[in-house]
Amino acid sequence: MAQIAKQLDINPETLRTWGRRVEAGHAEAPGIETVADIERIRQLEKENAELRRAIEILKTASAFFAAEVDRPHR
């Protein structure tokens, strides 16, 4: 179980919980139906983090250039 969870990059306890749901006849995890869904969510979370970093860089750059424009030239 731990090895499979590691391969899926999810918490082993999450995988155990899903397994218990399957055994209890409640196979569907809310909002997540397949391993492909899990992988897609992980990719979107990674992309989201990259976009947030890019936004911070752009904010910093725009503040820098705005300060340059306002500064009197020699």
Side-chain angles (χ1 to χ4, degrees):
M1 189 85 56
Q3 183 179 9
I4 292 169
K6 185 177 180 181
Q7 290 173 349
L8 295 174
D9 195 27
I10 60 173
N11 187 308
E13 191 55 38
T14 301
L15 190 57
R16 283 187 195 90
T17 301
W18 292 346
R20 288 185 200 120
R21 286 182 181 171
V22 169
E23 290 171 353
H26 307 290
E28 292 185 24
I32 301 174
E33 297 188 16
T34 65
V35 173
D37 291 337
I38 296 168
E39 179 62 28
R40 180 71 179 140
I41 290 168
R42 187 170 48 163
Q43 289 172 349
L44 290 171
E45 287 173 344
K46 183 186 241 184
E47 182 180 343
N48 191 12
E50 290 172 6
L51 291 171
R52 287 180 191 273
R53 281 192 297 272
I55 288 169
E56 287 304 314
I57 291 168
L58 291 172
K59 282 181 182 179
T60 302
S62 67
F64 172 79
F65 288 117
E68 286 291 314
V69 169
D70 291 339
R71 187 179 313 166
H73 297 288
R74 297 188 231 188

